Amino acid sequence: MRKTIVAGNWKMNASKESVNSLIKGILSGMSDVSSDVIVCAPFPYLSQVESLIINSDLMLGAQNLNVNLKGAFTGEVSADMIKDFGAQHVIVGHSERRSLYGETSTVVAEKTKAAIDAGLTPLLCVGESLEERESGRTEAVVAEQLNAVISLLGIDAFDGIIIAYEPVWAIGTGLTASPEQAQSVHLFIRKLLADSSERVAQKTPILYGGSMNAGNAADLISCADIDGGLIGGAALKADDFLQICKAG
Ligand code: PGA
């Protein structure tokens, strides 16, 4: 039985004041939440979140990392630095990084490796664009994105990976995939993993992301192969985020 996981991706939205009230708001409602809950904060706020969540069940993640361990990479942040601030998770391969920063599936696989090597759990995002969906390439795109990681790291690496299926056309658009659309891709992902290892396929959490909100979360998370959500916009309001956390 896979545990429900709800992760908030704040993207580039935060201030010291908003982080303080958002985390306090989430913590005040955590007692009735049975899902695992992660907040992925922008780098400058990791330390603040780390102090606020001490002695709570809330977990911390980052939104990106560099593939290198350390050195002359101005402006970059390593997996060890992220860990140093108490984070256990890091998002890799978000579609915004793939499309706006040119991260290929090979780079995403290398980042996944850097995260795992440092002891972080990657939240590995995959998903197709609208054009790819409309031309019937959803499964091929998702398979290419996952196979890059499987070929670099091997299937057993997925013991330490959380997958997030995020159709690009649903991210930040208010257009959520229907539970049937999402479940069908989640099942495809699980079958792809099962081609290499049935054990890994049954164990790996696969979250849905893309305009998940308090109103649609329960229907999505109740699907057989949807194990939780990666939440953008609705993760910025404590009440909305908590409702999603309770939907699992
Ligand atoms: P959204 O973002 O919930 O605002 O659509 C999800 C994500 O990009 O992870």
Side-chain angles (χ1 to χ4, degrees):
M1 183 67 188
R2 296 176 298 269
K3 196 166 181 194
T4 302
I5 301 170
V6 178
N9 172 15
W10 296 350
K11 310 193 181 187
M12 201 171 71
N13 300 295
S15 66
K16 283 197 270 189
E17 204 184 318
S18 71
V19 167
N20 194 45
S21 60
L22 180 53
I23 293 292
K24 286 188 175 156
I26 296 169
L27 290 176
S28 71
M30 282 287 285
S31 52
D32 358 308
V33 170
S34 55
S35 311
D36 281 350
V37 183
I38 307 161
V39 288
C40 297
F43 294 136
Y45 299 94
L46 291 178
S47 170
Q48 186 186 350
V49 178
E50 179 189 28
S51 334
L52 287 165
I53 64 175
I54 282 175
N55 297 327
S56 80
D57 292 332
L58 196 54
M59 292 182 279
L60 175 60
Q63 299 173 14
N64 183 30
L65 79 167
N66 190 274
V67 293
N68 297 287
L69 287 179
K70 61 194 284 191
F73 302 99
T74 302
E76 292 296 301
V77 172
S78 73
D80 281 347
M81 293 174 186
I82 293 167
K83 267 197 83 178
D84 209 14
F85 287 96
Q88 294 156 271
H89 299 83
V90 61
I91 297 172
V92 293
H94 191 278
S95 70
E96 286 149 20
R97 300 236 35 112
R98 292 180 192 262
S99 68
L100 301 172
Y101 301 98
E103 291 189 10
T104 61
S105 292
T106 307
V107 169
V108 173
E110 285 166 357
K111 289 191 171 192
T112 305
K113 180 173 188 315
I116 291 175
D117 288 350
L120 291 168
T121 301
L123 284 152
L124 168 64
C125 301
V126 297
E128 81 290 357
S129 66
L130 185 59
E131 192 234 316
E132 288 161 344
R133 171 164 285 263
E134 285 177 344
S135 59
R137 285 187 287 140
T138 298
E139 294 187 352
V141 168
V142 168
E144 185 274 331
Q145 292 169 336
L146 286 171
N147 284 331
V149 177
I150 297 173
S151 48
L152 182 70
L153 295 175
I155 191 69
D156 289 339
F158 281 78
D159 279 332
I161 293 176
I162 298 168
I163 296 174
Y165 167 60
E166 298 207 307
V168 180
W169 48 272
I171 296 177
T173 57
L175 284 176
T176 318
S178 66
E180 296 72 28
Q181 281 173 321
Q183 164 59 25
S184 135
V185 182
H186 281 237
L187 181 61
F188 170 76
I189 292 171
R190 213 172 291 290
K191 284 185 174 157
L192 185 144
L193 299 176
D195 287 344
S196 301
S197 165
E198 183 61 37
R199 181 191 65 78
V200 170
Q202 288 314 320
K203 209 177 142 209
T204 302
I206 309 175
L207 315 185
Y208 168 81
S211 299
M212 191 187 267
N213 58 40
N216 60 30
D219 283 347
L220 285 156
I221 296 176
S222 64
C223 294
D225 292 289
I226 302 183
D227 305 314
L230 178 56
I231 322 299
L236 296 170
K237 291 196 196 116
D239 288 349
D240 290 1
F241 188 60
L242 280 168
Q243 280 193 55
I244 299 172
C245 294
K246 289 175 194 165

